Amino acid sequence: MRIEQRFTVARPPGEVFAYMTNPENLAAWQPSKISVEPLSDGPPRQGYRVKERTKMGLRKWDQVVEFTEFEPGRALTTHIVEGSVPVDGRWTFEDDDAGGARVHFVAEGELTGAARFAEPLLRRGVDRSFRRYHALLARNVEAAGVPPAP
């Protein structure tokens, strides 16, 4: 399964990246997250892991997510280390020449078992969810402004 989206945020790429990678902000832009627990000490970085509890409808599940690429203001890749939905995400950031960020998002993962047969339906649902998440991300970052990552 592959999903690709592009969106803009009227804040610099470093601010968008800093907001996204702060575990305390995750539920604010991905409201399906009911809890986020850092599993790594220190600030977010490459190799940093969090345990997310997700709820969609009546279904709840946990997953462990790792930042496998971490270039502040440039690129972030997340990998599902443990979990039932093996869809990894990659966001890349560029200046938009107006002080904001152009963001390119790609989610990819190979579905297994019964999920393979529901791939078109799952793809539409995941695409719709990430469109909402990205709209919330843009709104939140534009409203608050975030100090850029070090």
Side-chain angles (χ1 to χ4, degrees), residues 38 40-45 48:
S40 300
D41 292 329
R45 63 195 174 285
Y48 189 82

Side-chain angles (χ1 to χ4, degrees), residues 110-132:
E110 186 173 330
L111 301 177
T112 60
R116 284 189 326 235
F117 302 108
E119 183 174 333
L121 181 63
L122 289 170
R123 185 179 326 116
R124 280 192 302 273
V126 171
D127 183 68
R128 188 172 35 252
S129 291
F130 271 98
R131 287 196 189 285
R132 283 193 308 264

Side-chain angles (χ1 to χ4, degrees), residues 7-94:
F7 61 99
T8 59
V9 182
R11 301 298 296 170
E15 289 185 23
V16 181
F17 185 93
Y19 184 88
M20 288 179 66
T21 57
N22 181 339
E24 294 177 8
N25 296 332
L26 187 59
W29 69 278
Q30 290 189 27
S32 63
K33 305 304 179 210
I34 55 177
S35 68
V36 179
E37 173 189 349
L39 299 177
S40 300
D41 292 329
R45 63 195 174 285
Q46 187 167 341
Y48 189 82
R49 289 185 177 192
V50 296
K51 180 178 181 180
E52 302 173 349
R53 171 150 275 211
T54 302
K55 180 180 183 203
M56 292 191 142
L58 298 175
R59 186 167 175 251
K60 292 181 187 176
W61 69 92
D62 292 334
Q63 61 188 18
V64 174
V65 179
E66 180 177 337
F67 294 158
T68 55
E69 179 181 22
F70 193 92
E71 296 181 43
R74 298 186 59 207
L76 172 68
T77 301
T78 59
H79 172 66
I80 306 300
V81 176
E82 296 174 19
S84 61
V85 184
V87 177
D88 297 340
R90 183 169 195 261
W91 292 262
T92 54
F93 307 84
E94 296 179 344

